[in-house]
Amino acid sequence: MFYMAIHGQDTIPHVKGRILISVRKGTIECDLTLSNMPQLSDYYLRLNSGMNIRYIKNAEPGMLPLRYERSQDDTLSSGESLAYYIPSYNESGKYLPHAVHFNYVGMYPVITDTTSAVDWRGNIAFNGKTLRADGIQSAWCPILYDVKTDRSYENVTYDLDITCHDCNVIYVNGSQPVSGTHAKVRSSTPQDLTLFSGDFKSVAINGNYFLNPDADEQQLTQLENTLDAYQKYLENKLGIPYKGKAVYIQTTPVSKNNSWMFASYPTIVSVSWHEGMKSFANKSTGTGFLQYMAHELAHYYFGKVRAFNSATRGMISEGFAEFLAMRITKNFISNSKYNDELKSKVRAMNNLTPVPMQKIRSEADYRNRELYVYYYAPLVFLAIEKEIGEEKMWTWLKVLLLSPAVKTDYTFFEQTLKEVVSDKAKFDLVREKYLESNQAFQNAVSALSIPADEFSAANNNIPVTKTYYYYVISRPMADIGSSQNNMIVHTEVAQITCLTTEFLDRVRATAIKVKQACKNATGCTNDINSYNSIEEAQAGLKRLLDRYNKNGRMVVKVLKP
Ligand SMILES: [Zn+2]
């Protein structure tokens, strides 16, 4: 489609070659050629840090392996990949052949028992049954990155020959899942190379696929219907159709405590130990699941139709995905769910005093990225919608998605709004209230008529007198229970009546005493825990001691507060 060509990547690299996977051994062997690349002078080729390179060559026939180097300066990579380049004597010091042939192999731990401390989107995860690798962060296939424009070329056309002797389904983003141990997959539409292969069931409903679902066919049919209605709504409002059929993947993490969803349209992945697709049918968890799905479906627009850049990337991509999920909640789930969601967003903001959007210059300015992009930004966007009306809001979204600008920085964000509002006085008012003001959050809360109790809970600066039941506890930062980290120090439960603003000052000296008495090689935590009753405080202390001294290996010291 034309807008992809204009706003996505100007030139789309093509990846061709062979891949050999074993989900039982945790191995990936690749022999891949990247061609049709833009002629960049300053670039990196990002490749997952677990991949060992046999060679990099110019892909023309008969060429010898090239020397390559690694850069330490690729600070924008999310950490999973290394940044390679081919050194040269030209001005940039880097040389990029028209086509590059990579041969490399990776071996990863196969974790069937959740022993990994952490799992996340960019992890190349083998859980014993499947391989999961996302097509952006993991960089399991080399990804070209333009240093000058801060643009990465993860969307590629491809022609891949994949063998996996211990798989029964092989899936690459944008192709149909292939049953069997061998797949030849091609795409002439640019896709990131999200990969999911292994031993699982693949169910097709109305041309959409569900991979490894826990739900039965009847539940999946209902779910498919619901999600299809969400997609039609967004298509209709934004005037940009979804391309291709969706593939919904359900899988488990290799750690105990991580669960999340991510979208690389047409693929939407849910990684969790909780109920998966079938939680849709569950009365208490169903709406939460659908709200997450709505957010991921919205990423087709804010992520795929247009990939945003600059420091505003998170605020725009996540903020508008969440904004659209809120719209879907209101229109398809219920008004009361929508109101609950508004209130919970306002309550969460208790922990952040946001910088006005106009002052966002780097990711660090968010202070708390999670709160800023998923809570603050959608509240501000909903308030702006209240001011300018729904119709102009949809127009703004369309312009954000389709405007030919290259940099999607704050200026772009503001200019597009100005253009759509096309009323100077109105625009100035909106800018002043929601984009420039230090009170933008408060302004949004009142524009959205969120009940005063939520508002005051989030802005409770008036000191009152209160009785606290509290204790202070220090334990090892890490490696708890080892011989070098086996000390817990805590106070008994004590009581103080004072102004809410004074409490921390009153307890500080005790907290310092506790921390000083606690000796562990990894250092000690230092937590002041307070409650409204002595029973709650005692129960809280007991819970912590039970948790951290499970095996009775710890030396526990008790101090007088
Ligand atoms: Zn998101």
Side-chain angles (χ1 to χ4, degrees):
M1 238 166 266
F2 80 96
Y3 53 82
M4 290 265 190
I6 296 171
H7 312 303
Q9 299 169 178
D10 41 1
T11 307
I12 307 293
H14 181 69
V15 179
K16 183 175 165 61
R18 278 172 298 127
I19 298 157
L20 178 63
I21 296 167
S22 169
V23 291
R24 296 223 182 95
K25 288 191 213 143
T27 53
I28 311 179
E29 284 188 60
C30 296
D31 187 69
L32 299 171
T33 295
L34 269 73
S35 58
N36 196 43
M37 288 181 288
Q39 293 306 293
L40 306 179
S41 56
D42 196 1
Y43 73 92
Y44 297 123
L45 283 156
R46 288 177 177 157
L47 181 64
N48 186 273
S49 60
M51 298 295 187
N52 300 295
I53 295 175
R54 188 173 283 128
Y55 56 76
I56 298 175
K57 290 179 184 177
N58 185 321
E60 287 167 17
M63 301 307 291
L64 294 173
L66 289 161
R67 197 164 70 80
Y68 55 83
E69 291 192 5
R70 262 183 222 166
S71 168
Q72 305 298 325
D73 301 332
D74 187 21
T75 53
L76 289 165
S77 147
S78 45
E80 297 88 347
S81 60
L82 299 174
Y84 295 96
Y85 64 94
I86 299 159
S88 79
Y89 284 138
N90 64 22
E91 207 179 323
S92 69
K94 295 174 184 176
Y95 161 62
L96 184 61
H98 293 305
V100 187
H101 178 180
F102 275 85
N103 189 300
Y104 57 92
V105 52
M107 182 162 186
Y108 295 83
V110 177
I111 298 173
T112 55
D113 58 358
T114 74
T115 46
S116 192
V118 65
D119 197 351
W120 70 102
R121 175 173 177 161
N123 192 22
I124 294 182
F126 286 92
N127 66 8
K129 292 209 134 195
T130 59
L131 156 62
R132 179 194 82 232
D134 95 308
I136 303 173
Q137 292 182 24
S138 81
W140 70 266
C141 172
I143 294 176
L144 182 66
Y145 171 72
D146 186 346
V147 178
K148 274 191 196 147
T149 59
D150 180 24
R151 176 176 289 188
S152 81
Y153 289 78
E154 64 267 5
N155 290 325
V156 296
T157 57
Y158 60 78
D159 181 356
L160 301 171
D161 184 308
I162 305 175
T163 303
C164 175
H165 294 298
D166 42 21
C167 290
N168 57 24
V169 180
I170 295 170
Y171 173 66
V172 180
N173 195 21
S175 291
Q176 289 194 356
V178 177
S179 293
T181 57
H182 181 220
K184 280 181 190 263
V185 287
R186 281 186 200 93
S187 176
S188 54
T189 307
Q191 302 288 354
D192 78 71
L193 294 174
T194 293
L195 195 63
F196 186 67
S197 293
D199 183 6
F200 56 83
K201 186 172 70 172
S202 161
V203 181
I205 292 177
N206 287 334
N208 296 312
Y209 285 89
F210 294 86
L211 304 187
N212 197 33
D214 62 358
D216 61 34
E217 202 142 331
Q218 192 197 338
Q219 290 169 323
L220 291 177
T221 305
Q222 274 178 34
L223 176 59
E224 198 273 335
N225 260 321
T226 307
L227 299 177
D228 187 58
Y230 296 178
Q231 286 184 314
K232 292 218 164 79
Y233 169 74
L234 295 176
E235 280 181 343
N236 179 23
K237 291 289 188 187
L238 291 166
I240 304 168
Y242 275 85
K243 268 187 103 183
K245 291 294 191 173
V247 177
Y248 300 99
I249 296 175
Q250 180 183 333
T251 184
T252 53
V254 294
S255 64
K256 215 175 191 158
N257 296 322
N258 299 105
S259 79
W260 73 100
M261 280 192 190
F262 69 93
S264 274
Y265 198 83
T267 307
I268 292 177
V269 189
S270 164
V271 187
S272 171
W273 284 109
H274 309 297
E275 285 189 340
M277 312 290 177
K278 78 173 182 202
S279 71
F280 150 74
N282 180 317
K283 273 215 159 53
S284 63
T285 56
T287 55
F289 177 79
L290 288 174
Q291 284 172 319
Y292 281 123
M293 281 303 216
H295 175 102
E296 299 306 337
L297 285 171
H299 271 310
Y300 172 66
Y301 296 101
F302 288 86
K304 173 91 184 173
V305 167
R306 180 169 214 151
F308 294 84
N309 56 41
S310 309
T312 49
R313 171 175 19 206
M315 174 183 111
I316 296 180
S317 302
E318 296 304 339
F320 282 108
E322 196 55 20
F323 169 86
L324 291 172
M326 294 287 285
R327 283 239 128 277
I328 288 172
T329 302
K330 194 174 182 178
N331 285 18
F332 289 87
I333 300 176
S334 73
N335 238 325
S336 73
K337 268 277 162 235
Y338 171 78
N339 285 326
D340 288 351
E341 199 51 41
L342 272 185
K343 283 187 222 161
S344 87
K345 282 195 172 4
V346 170
R347 243 176 281 131
M349 286 299 291
N350 226 340
N351 297 314
L352 176 69
T353 306
V355 171
M357 289 183 170
Q358 197 195 44
K359 295 214 174 91
I360 297 292
R361 293 285 176 279
S362 73
E363 288 257 328
D365 293 331
Y366 293 138
R367 292 189 191 150
N368 180 328
R369 187 182 185 275
E370 164 96 9
L371 287 177
Y372 202 99
V373 308
Y374 296 98
Y375 295 77
Y376 177 64
L379 286 171
V380 169
F381 298 157
L382 286 163
I384 292 176
E385 183 187 46
K386 270 260 144 82
E387 301 277 358
I388 67 174
E390 282 189 28
E391 199 179 318
K392 288 217 158 147
M393 193 68 184
W394 286 112
T395 310
W396 185 29
L397 266 59
K398 276 187 243 183
V399 173
L400 284 168
L401 293 168
L402 299 176
S403 136
V406 173
K407 255 197 173 323
T408 63
D409 54 8
Y410 179 79
T411 311
F412 158 82
F413 172 79
E414 199 191 280
Q415 280 305 312
T416 49
L417 177 61
K418 188 175 180 182
E419 188 185 314
V420 168
V421 174
S422 69
D423 170 341
K424 190 172 182 308
K426 182 97 211 171
F427 171 74
D428 287 347
L429 174 92
V430 168
R431 178 168 64 183
E432 208 267 296
K433 271 177 90 172
Y434 303 109
L435 306 179
E436 289 176 350
S437 168
N438 286 319
Q439 298 291 306
F441 170 66
Q442 286 79 353
N443 294 341
V445 170
S446 55
L448 294 167
S449 329
I450 295 164
D453 55 328
E454 309 301 335
F455 182 56
S456 58
N459 290 276
N460 193 356
N461 296 321
I462 307 144
V464 289
T465 301
K466 191 178 159 181
T467 299
Y468 292 90
Y469 299 89
Y470 72 95
Y471 58 87
V472 179
I473 186 165
S474 282
R475 59 176 166 84
M477 271 307 277
D479 203 22
I480 191 159
S482 67
S483 59
Q484 291 157 278
N485 297 285
N486 64 350
M487 188 183 284
I488 294 176
V489 182
H490 69 89
T491 66
E492 288 165 343
V493 172
Q495 162 183 358
I496 268 187
T497 302
C498 63
L499 286 173
T500 47
T501 45
E502 288 172 358
F503 174 66
L504 286 178
D505 286 337
R506 296 277 295 272
V507 185
R508 188 160 292 128
T510 307
I512 292 169
K513 224 165 61 182
V514 169
K515 190 167 165 91
Q516 280 169 348
C518 182
K519 309 274 181 232
N520 288 302
T522 60
C524 297
T525 64
N526 191 220
D527 297 323
I528 300 167
N529 294 326
S530 70
Y531 304 82
N532 294 323
S533 75
I534 189 159
E535 293 76 20
E536 285 175 81
Q538 279 164 344
L541 177 58
K542 181 169 183 308
R543 239 186 347 261
L544 286 186
L545 289 173
D546 288 348
R547 185 189 313 163
Y548 293 116
N549 193 20
K550 233 189 321 226
N551 308 320
R553 280 194 227 160
M554 306 299 284
V555 177
V556 180
K557 286 193 185 174
V558 185
L559 296 187
K560 287 261 176 288

